[in-house]
Amino acid sequence: MTESLLDVAVWPIITLGVGFVILAVAVVAAAVILLVVLLKKKQKRDEAARRAAQDPPGGTAEEGAFAAVFAPPAAGEERGAGETPRGARSENGVPSAQNADNAPGHSPAQNAGDAPVQNADGAPAGPPAEGGER
Amino acid sequence: MYAAFLVLVGLAATLVLETLVFLPLFCKKDGCFIGAFYCVNAATNVSLNFLLSLAMYVLSALGCDLRYEAPAAFLFGCCTVLLEVLIVWIEYAVLRRFHPYPNLLGYVAGANLLSAVAGSALVAVCLSLF
């Protein structure tokens, strides 16, 4: 009588209880493991983003240093004392003569001292008069 | 089997309800944060339901029926609220590590409050029906 009651009532309850516990523990363990994996993935992503922000563009640090030294200055970048960027206008509204292609500082012939460089209209190259138009 | 079914249904309902609350944060499309949200919610919800089921099983084994024993029901409710507060703090602490959104604690607390109210209503309906 006792054995039959155990067989009928107790063992299914124990089996279901153990199954329920196993199910709950499995769900919680899977969730925690996935959480740890996600956390490590995020840490790696943050580390990569931080490294990319620290390194200069152009790949390695050596390439970045080479580009920083030998690359031509970008538009609007500071060139030197008394100069304005190419295409920019000076204070009086006249385009910068030093940066024009026929300007003395940019002409190889004039820099060599052979002959003065002429503009297209035949006038000698050089900066225009203050506030005047040619 | 019935308890396992209830736990899984409760888990699904909780995830759906809390997703509704977290939708403004999910719109930012942070995959790690979304995955962490579901993982930590699954872990905390299953743990809480398991603890409550175990407590109810122990109480029923001791001959105490929560529907008719007011002090035991009150104690049970207080423990449930305290566990919910603990869960809110755990979820906030975990999710903050993934992305510290502003008002994240409010989102977590609101989502858990909605889930707890819905779960309590579901349990009340089940107890009245069965």
Side-chain angles (χ1 to χ4, degrees):
Chain A
M1 182 65 182
T2 308
E3 282 185 5
S4 63
L5 272 178
L6 281 175
D7 288 338
V8 171
V10 176
W11 285 111
I13 291 173
I14 292 176
T15 306
L16 287 176
V18 170
F20 175 59
V21 171
I22 289 174
L23 177 70
V25 170
V27 170
V28 173
V32 170
I33 289 171
L34 200 54
L35 202 59
V36 171
V37 170
L38 279 172
L39 190 60
K40 288 193 174 180
K41 183 181 171 186
K42 182 178 183 302
Q43 283 174 348
K44 277 185 183 176
R45 200 175 64 179
D46 288 347
E47 186 73 23
R50 199 173 60 199
R51 209 178 301 135
Q54 285 178 349
D55 287 346
T60 63
E62 290 181 359
E63 290 172 352
F66 180 85
V69 171
F70 294 104
E77 193 173 341
E78 187 177 332
R79 286 169 178 245
E83 292 188 354
T84 50
R86 178 182 296 270
R89 290 182 178 270
S90 57
E91 290 179 0
N92 56 4
V94 178
S96 172
Q98 278 182 304
N99 291 316
D101 287 334
N102 55 2
H106 288 257
S107 170
Q110 197 173 15
N111 287 337
D114 295 337
V117 176
Q118 301 289 317
N119 283 329
D121 56 1
E130 184 90 12
E133 289 285 337
R134 284 197 299 174
Chain B
M1 200 68 186
Y2 183 65
F5 176 74
L6 271 183
V7 165
L8 291 180
V9 168
L11 176 62
T14 299
L15 291 183
V16 170
L17 288 173
E18 297 200 12
T19 300
L20 292 178
V21 177
F22 270 77
L23 270 182
L25 298 185
F26 287 176
C27 288
K28 301 180 190 304
K29 294 182 179 175
D30 187 350
C32 284
F33 182 82
I34 296 173
F37 166 80
Y38 285 115
C39 287
V40 73
N41 262 295
T44 52
N45 186 268
V46 171
S47 301
L48 178 65
N49 283 335
F50 176 70
L51 286 177
L52 294 181
S53 305
L54 194 65
M56 288 192 74
Y57 176 75
V58 170
L59 284 174
S60 64
L62 292 174
C64 176
D65 194 338
L66 287 178
R67 286 173 294 182
Y68 306 110
E69 300 282 346
F74 180 72
L75 190 62
F76 188 77
C78 288
C79 290
T80 306
V81 170
L82 287 177
L83 284 173
E84 274 286 350
V85 171
L86 179 66
I87 279 174
V88 166
W89 183 253
I90 290 173
E91 288 184 8
Y92 171 66
V94 171
L95 291 178
R96 190 180 54 183
R97 292 176 68 93
F98 284 88
H99 203 299
Y101 286 113
N103 302 323
L104 181 61
L105 183 59
Y107 277 102
V108 174
N112 275 282
L113 184 65
L114 178 65
S115 168
V117 169
S120 302
L122 182 66
V123 169
V125 169
C126 287
L127 286 179
S128 64
L129 287 179
F130 304 108

